[in-house]
Amino acid sequence: MSDTRTTAKATRAEYCVVACAEAWRDAGEILASPMGTVPTIGARLAKLTFSPDLLLTDGEALLIGDVPAVGARPGVVEGWLPFRQHLALAATGRRHVMMGASQLDRYGNQNISCIGDWARPTRQLLGVRGAPGNTLNNPTSYWVPRHSKRVFVARVDMVCGVGYDRAAAAGPSASRHHRLADVVSDLGVFDFRTPDRTMRLRSLHPGVTVEQVAEATGFPLTVPDEVPYTRDPTPEELRLIREVIDPRALREREVPA
């Protein structure tokens, strides 16, 4: 008898996990720094499938040699990665980080610091943190669990992560290693592979329409004539997600059905 846990139709959250995992496809021996539940599951899925050389941490200061379930302790510890060494990896481009975004504009400028005028904001958020160094030194992707005009804005209130327009304006010292790879939301996958380096709709998650994405985005998107759907998880990927990496289904809390 087949197990319904692995044969049930993929949920929106599981499509998001697969889309996040694809950001690390064939990445080689670099450090994955996922921020958020779905990106964490995605990085671990990539490690177990098409990116076996990917380096993972326990979310703190240990390099892990196995792939435990989210929230579980690792069984194999390969090394210690204190903050100074983590920064060294980031500064030399040997890391691919997937950050969140409170605001994101069409050039990929990201804000996680404040809402409103920075001199007198209406909301205080995380602060700039490591966003400038991340975006200028190593590949950076973004994860947005709630796609809306509040996040995808015409102009961010404060630039934390550097977008393509600002990196180009700053010159070679800023643009030499600048690369924004993917933006994954609960509606689809986006990138900046356009002549003017503005955001493009790359795929829709099943059940989502181009009109829905446009209505939830606060700037014009580049939309190809034919927009594919995000690829289906394979049966083995669904098994790994549901039974090995996230048996408590934490992904469904971040992206509810």
Side-chain angles (χ1 to χ4, degrees), residues 58 99 175 232:
D58 65 345
M99 296 191 289
S175 60
D232 295 331

Side-chain angles (χ1 to χ4, degrees), residues 174-192:
S175 60
R176 184 179 297 116
H177 303 297
H178 179 265
R179 183 168 79 85
L180 303 181
D182 298 336
V183 176
V184 181
S185 82
D186 61 330
L187 297 185
V189 182
F190 309 80
D191 60 31
F192 300 90

Side-chain angles (χ1 to χ4, degrees), residues 23-30 50-51 53-54 96:
W24 288 286
R25 178 177 283 276
D26 301 326
E29 193 174 342
I30 68 165
F50 45 71
S51 294
D53 294 329
L54 204 62
H96 185 154

